[in-house]
Short mmCIF file of all heavy atoms in Angstrom, two decimals:
data_model
loop_
_atom_site.label_atom_id
_atom_site.label_comp_id
_atom_site.label_asym_id
_atom_site.label_seq_id
_atom_site.Cartn_x
_atom_site.Cartn_y
_atom_site.Cartn_z
N ALA Q 110 -39.17 -106.58 -120.43
CA ALA Q 110 -38.81 -106.58 -119.03
C ALA Q 110 -37.83 -107.70 -118.72
O ALA Q 110 -38.01 -108.80 -119.14
CB ALA Q 110 -40.06 -106.76 -118.13
N THR Q 111 -36.80 -107.35 -117.87
CA THR Q 111 -35.80 -108.42 -117.54
C THR Q 111 -36.44 -109.50 -116.77
O THR Q 111 -37.14 -109.30 -115.69
CB THR Q 111 -34.66 -107.83 -116.75
OG1 THR Q 111 -34.06 -106.80 -117.55
CG2 THR Q 111 -33.52 -108.83 -116.50
N LEU Q 112 -36.19 -110.76 -117.16
CA LEU Q 112 -36.72 -111.89 -116.34
C LEU Q 112 -35.86 -112.18 -115.17
O LEU Q 112 -34.67 -111.87 -115.15
CB LEU Q 112 -36.88 -113.12 -117.21
CG LEU Q 112 -37.74 -112.97 -118.52
CD1 LEU Q 112 -37.64 -114.26 -119.38
CD2 LEU Q 112 -39.19 -112.71 -118.14
N PRO Q 113 -36.40 -112.82 -114.17
CA PRO Q 113 -35.60 -113.20 -112.99
C PRO Q 113 -34.41 -114.11 -113.39
O PRO Q 113 -34.49 -114.87 -114.41
CB PRO Q 113 -36.59 -114.01 -112.12
CG PRO Q 113 -37.94 -113.51 -112.52
CD PRO Q 113 -37.80 -113.28 -113.99
N ALA Q 114 -33.35 -114.13 -112.58
CA ALA Q 114 -32.20 -115.06 -112.91
C ALA Q 114 -32.61 -116.45 -112.86
O ALA Q 114 -33.45 -116.93 -111.91
CB ALA Q 114 -31.09 -114.71 -111.85
N LEU Q 115 -32.10 -117.25 -113.80
CA LEU Q 115 -32.42 -118.67 -113.77
C LEU Q 115 -31.07 -119.45 -113.56
O LEU Q 115 -30.05 -119.14 -114.02
CB LEU Q 115 -33.00 -118.99 -115.17
CG LEU Q 115 -34.31 -118.33 -115.61
CD1 LEU Q 115 -33.94 -117.25 -116.55
CD2 LEU Q 115 -35.31 -119.34 -116.23
N THR Q 116 -31.29 -120.65 -112.88
CA THR Q 116 -30.14 -121.55 -112.68
C THR Q 116 -30.56 -122.94 -113.07
O THR Q 116 -31.69 -123.30 -112.90
CB THR Q 116 -29.65 -121.54 -111.22
OG1 THR Q 116 -30.77 -121.91 -110.37
CG2 THR Q 116 -29.14 -120.08 -110.76
N GLY Q 117 -29.69 -123.69 -113.56
CA GLY Q 117 -29.96 -125.07 -113.92
C GLY Q 117 -28.66 -125.82 -114.38
O GLY Q 117 -27.64 -125.61 -113.91
N SER Q 118 -28.87 -126.64 -115.45
CA SER Q 118 -27.74 -127.42 -115.93
C SER Q 118 -27.93 -127.84 -117.43
O SER Q 118 -29.15 -127.72 -117.95
CB SER Q 118 -27.59 -128.68 -115.06
OG SER Q 118 -28.82 -129.53 -115.13
N VAL Q 119 -26.87 -128.23 -118.03
CA VAL Q 119 -26.87 -128.79 -119.38
C VAL Q 119 -26.45 -130.19 -119.26
O VAL Q 119 -25.48 -130.59 -118.69
CB VAL Q 119 -25.97 -127.99 -120.26
CG1 VAL Q 119 -26.02 -128.59 -121.73
CG2 VAL Q 119 -26.32 -126.55 -120.33
N ARG Q 120 -27.29 -131.08 -119.82
CA ARG Q 120 -26.85 -132.46 -119.99
C ARG Q 120 -26.41 -132.76 -121.42
O ARG Q 120 -27.27 -132.53 -122.34
CB ARG Q 120 -28.05 -133.38 -119.62
CG ARG Q 120 -28.37 -133.37 -118.16
CD ARG Q 120 -29.30 -134.48 -117.68
NE ARG Q 120 -29.59 -134.44 -116.30
CZ ARG Q 120 -28.72 -135.05 -115.41
NH1 ARG Q 120 -27.64 -135.66 -115.78
NH2 ARG Q 120 -28.98 -135.01 -114.03
N TRP Q 121 -25.12 -133.09 -121.57
CA TRP Q 121 -24.61 -133.30 -122.91
C TRP Q 121 -24.74 -134.83 -123.26
O TRP Q 121 -24.49 -135.68 -122.36
CB TRP Q 121 -23.12 -132.83 -122.97
CG TRP Q 121 -22.92 -131.42 -122.69
CD1 TRP Q 121 -22.47 -130.89 -121.59
CD2 TRP Q 121 -23.22 -130.32 -123.54
NE1 TRP Q 121 -22.42 -129.50 -121.65
CE2 TRP Q 121 -22.92 -129.15 -122.82
CE3 TRP Q 121 -23.76 -130.26 -124.87
CZ2 TRP Q 121 -23.02 -127.83 -123.43
CZ3 TRP Q 121 -23.94 -128.96 -125.39
CH2 TRP Q 121 -23.54 -127.76 -124.72
N LYS Q 122 -24.87 -135.12 -124.52
CA LYS Q 122 -24.87 -136.51 -124.94
C LYS Q 122 -23.75 -136.66 -126.06
O LYS Q 122 -23.64 -135.83 -126.93
CB LYS Q 122 -26.21 -136.80 -125.65
CG LYS Q 122 -26.35 -138.25 -126.09
CD LYS Q 122 -27.70 -138.57 -126.66
CE LYS Q 122 -27.79 -140.01 -127.16
NZ LYS Q 122 -29.14 -140.33 -127.79
N ALA Q 123 -22.98 -137.69 -125.81
CA ALA Q 123 -21.80 -138.01 -126.74
C ALA Q 123 -21.83 -139.44 -127.15
O ALA Q 123 -22.29 -140.28 -126.46
CB ALA Q 123 -20.52 -137.60 -126.03
N SER Q 124 -21.18 -139.64 -128.28
CA SER Q 124 -20.88 -141.05 -128.65
C SER Q 124 -19.49 -141.44 -128.24
O SER Q 124 -18.66 -140.57 -128.35
CB SER Q 124 -21.07 -141.17 -130.21
OG SER Q 124 -20.04 -140.40 -130.89
N GLY Q 125 -19.30 -142.67 -127.88
CA GLY Q 125 -17.96 -143.05 -127.44
C GLY Q 125 -17.62 -142.93 -125.98
O GLY Q 125 -16.57 -143.16 -125.60
N GLY Q 126 -18.64 -142.46 -125.18
CA GLY Q 126 -18.47 -142.28 -123.77
C GLY Q 126 -19.44 -141.31 -123.13
O GLY Q 126 -19.98 -140.48 -123.87
N PRO Q 127 -19.65 -141.39 -121.84
CA PRO Q 127 -20.54 -140.41 -121.19
C PRO Q 127 -19.89 -139.04 -121.08
O PRO Q 127 -18.63 -138.84 -120.87
CB PRO Q 127 -20.71 -140.99 -119.87
CG PRO Q 127 -19.51 -141.74 -119.52
CD PRO Q 127 -19.07 -142.30 -120.91
N ALA Q 128 -20.71 -138.00 -121.32
CA ALA Q 128 -20.25 -136.58 -121.25
C ALA Q 128 -20.53 -135.93 -119.96
O ALA Q 128 -21.59 -136.19 -119.36
CB ALA Q 128 -20.87 -135.72 -122.39
N LEU Q 129 -19.59 -135.23 -119.35
CA LEU Q 129 -19.81 -134.49 -118.17
C LEU Q 129 -20.70 -133.32 -118.46
O LEU Q 129 -20.50 -132.56 -119.45
CB LEU Q 129 -18.46 -134.01 -117.62
CG LEU Q 129 -18.48 -133.19 -116.33
CD1 LEU Q 129 -18.93 -134.08 -115.14
CD2 LEU Q 129 -17.20 -132.52 -116.01
N GLY Q 130 -21.75 -133.15 -117.62
CA GLY Q 130 -22.64 -132.08 -117.86
C GLY Q 130 -22.07 -130.73 -117.43
O GLY Q 130 -20.88 -130.59 -116.97
N SER Q 131 -22.90 -129.63 -117.52
CA SER Q 131 -22.46 -128.33 -117.13
C SER Q 131 -23.46 -127.69 -116.20
O SER Q 131 -24.69 -127.96 -116.40
CB SER Q 131 -22.22 -127.47 -118.30
OG SER Q 131 -21.47 -127.99 -119.31
N THR Q 132 -23.08 -126.91 -115.24
CA THR Q 132 -23.95 -126.06 -114.58
C THR Q 132 -24.25 -124.90 -115.43
O THR Q 132 -23.43 -124.51 -116.23
CB THR Q 132 -23.50 -125.64 -113.21
OG1 THR Q 132 -22.30 -124.91 -113.37
CG2 THR Q 132 -23.35 -126.81 -112.24
N ALA Q 133 -25.42 -124.16 -115.28
CA ALA Q 133 -25.74 -123.06 -116.14
C ALA Q 133 -26.48 -121.96 -115.34
O ALA Q 133 -27.43 -122.25 -114.58
CB ALA Q 133 -26.67 -123.52 -117.21
N ASN Q 134 -26.04 -120.73 -115.58
CA ASN Q 134 -26.66 -119.48 -115.00
C ASN Q 134 -27.07 -118.68 -116.13
O ASN Q 134 -26.25 -118.35 -117.08
CB ASN Q 134 -25.73 -118.73 -114.11
CG ASN Q 134 -25.29 -119.45 -112.87
OD1 ASN Q 134 -26.02 -120.42 -112.42
ND2 ASN Q 134 -24.12 -119.18 -112.32
N VAL Q 135 -28.40 -118.27 -116.11
CA VAL Q 135 -28.93 -117.34 -117.20
C VAL Q 135 -29.39 -116.09 -116.48
O VAL Q 135 -30.32 -116.08 -115.69
CB VAL Q 135 -30.10 -118.00 -117.93
CG1 VAL Q 135 -30.58 -117.16 -119.07
CG2 VAL Q 135 -29.71 -119.41 -118.41
N THR Q 136 -28.72 -114.95 -116.79
CA THR Q 136 -29.06 -113.73 -116.09
C THR Q 136 -29.43 -112.64 -117.15
O THR Q 136 -28.97 -112.51 -118.19
CB THR Q 136 -27.83 -113.25 -115.32
OG1 THR Q 136 -26.72 -113.11 -116.16
CG2 THR Q 136 -27.48 -114.15 -114.19
N ARG Q 137 -30.45 -111.85 -116.71
CA ARG Q 137 -30.95 -110.75 -117.52
C ARG Q 137 -31.52 -111.17 -118.90
O ARG Q 137 -31.36 -110.47 -119.87
CB ARG Q 137 -29.88 -109.62 -117.69
CG ARG Q 137 -29.32 -109.10 -116.43
CD ARG Q 137 -28.41 -107.93 -116.68
NE ARG Q 137 -29.20 -106.72 -117.26
CZ ARG Q 137 -30.00 -105.93 -116.50
NH1 ARG Q 137 -29.99 -106.06 -115.30
NH2 ARG Q 137 -30.58 -104.96 -117.14
N ALA Q 138 -32.18 -112.41 -118.85
CA ALA Q 138 -32.81 -112.82 -120.01
C ALA Q 138 -34.03 -112.03 -120.31
O ALA Q 138 -34.71 -111.48 -119.32
CB ALA Q 138 -33.32 -114.28 -119.83
N LEU Q 139 -34.36 -111.88 -121.53
CA LEU Q 139 -35.62 -111.16 -121.84
C LEU Q 139 -36.08 -111.46 -123.28
O LEU Q 139 -35.43 -112.08 -124.07
CB LEU Q 139 -35.32 -109.59 -121.84
CG LEU Q 139 -34.33 -108.91 -122.70
CD1 LEU Q 139 -34.80 -108.57 -124.08
CD2 LEU Q 139 -33.70 -107.70 -122.07
N VAL Q 140 -37.44 -111.11 -123.50
CA VAL Q 140 -37.99 -111.30 -124.85
C VAL Q 140 -38.55 -109.84 -125.26
O VAL Q 140 -38.91 -109.13 -124.37
CB VAL Q 140 -39.11 -112.31 -124.87
CG1 VAL Q 140 -38.61 -113.69 -124.49
CG2 VAL Q 140 -40.27 -111.95 -123.86
N PHE Q 141 -38.47 -109.66 -126.48
CA PHE Q 141 -38.93 -108.28 -127.00
C PHE Q 141 -39.69 -108.29 -128.25
O PHE Q 141 -39.18 -108.92 -129.28
CB PHE Q 141 -37.69 -107.32 -127.12
CG PHE Q 141 -38.07 -105.98 -127.57
CD1 PHE Q 141 -38.60 -105.02 -126.71
CD2 PHE Q 141 -37.76 -105.52 -128.83
CE1 PHE Q 141 -39.03 -103.81 -127.11
CE2 PHE Q 141 -38.10 -104.31 -129.34
CZ PHE Q 141 -38.72 -103.43 -128.46
N TYR Q 142 -40.84 -107.81 -128.19
CA TYR Q 142 -41.78 -107.74 -129.44
C TYR Q 142 -41.52 -106.39 -130.09
O TYR Q 142 -41.85 -105.35 -129.54
CB TYR Q 142 -43.19 -107.99 -129.01
CG TYR Q 142 -44.19 -107.72 -130.05
CD1 TYR Q 142 -43.95 -107.93 -131.29
CD2 TYR Q 142 -45.45 -107.13 -129.66
CE1 TYR Q 142 -44.96 -107.70 -132.35
CE2 TYR Q 142 -46.43 -106.96 -130.65
CZ TYR Q 142 -46.18 -107.22 -131.99
OH TYR Q 142 -47.17 -106.94 -132.92
N ASN Q 143 -41.13 -106.51 -131.38
CA ASN Q 143 -40.94 -105.22 -132.16
C ASN Q 143 -42.13 -105.07 -133.12
O ASN Q 143 -42.26 -105.89 -134.00
CB ASN Q 143 -39.65 -105.44 -132.98
CG ASN Q 143 -39.36 -104.11 -133.86
OD1 ASN Q 143 -40.29 -103.37 -134.17
ND2 ASN Q 143 -38.08 -103.89 -134.11
N PRO Q 144 -43.07 -104.27 -132.84
CA PRO Q 144 -44.28 -104.15 -133.62
C PRO Q 144 -43.99 -103.81 -135.10
O PRO Q 144 -44.73 -104.14 -136.04
CB PRO Q 144 -45.11 -103.05 -133.00
CG PRO Q 144 -44.46 -102.95 -131.53
CD PRO Q 144 -42.99 -103.34 -131.70
N THR Q 145 -42.81 -103.13 -135.34
CA THR Q 145 -42.50 -102.77 -136.68
C THR Q 145 -42.26 -104.02 -137.55
O THR Q 145 -42.73 -104.08 -138.71
CB THR Q 145 -41.33 -101.85 -136.73
OG1 THR Q 145 -41.66 -100.63 -135.93
CG2 THR Q 145 -41.01 -101.39 -138.18
N THR Q 146 -41.51 -104.97 -137.06
CA THR Q 146 -41.12 -106.07 -137.78
C THR Q 146 -41.98 -107.30 -137.50
O THR Q 146 -41.95 -108.27 -138.22
CB THR Q 146 -39.64 -106.55 -137.50
OG1 THR Q 146 -39.50 -106.76 -136.04
CG2 THR Q 146 -38.72 -105.40 -137.85
#
Side-chain angles (χ1 to χ4, degrees):
T111 302
L112 299 176
L115 302 101
T116 58
S118 62
V119 180
R120 291 193 176 275
W121 299 105
K122 181 178 180 181
S124 62
L129 181 66
S131 310
T132 58
N134 294 337
V135 185
T136 56
R137 302 190 65 80
L139 60 86
V140 297
F141 179 71
Y142 169 33
N143 185 333
T145 302
T146 60

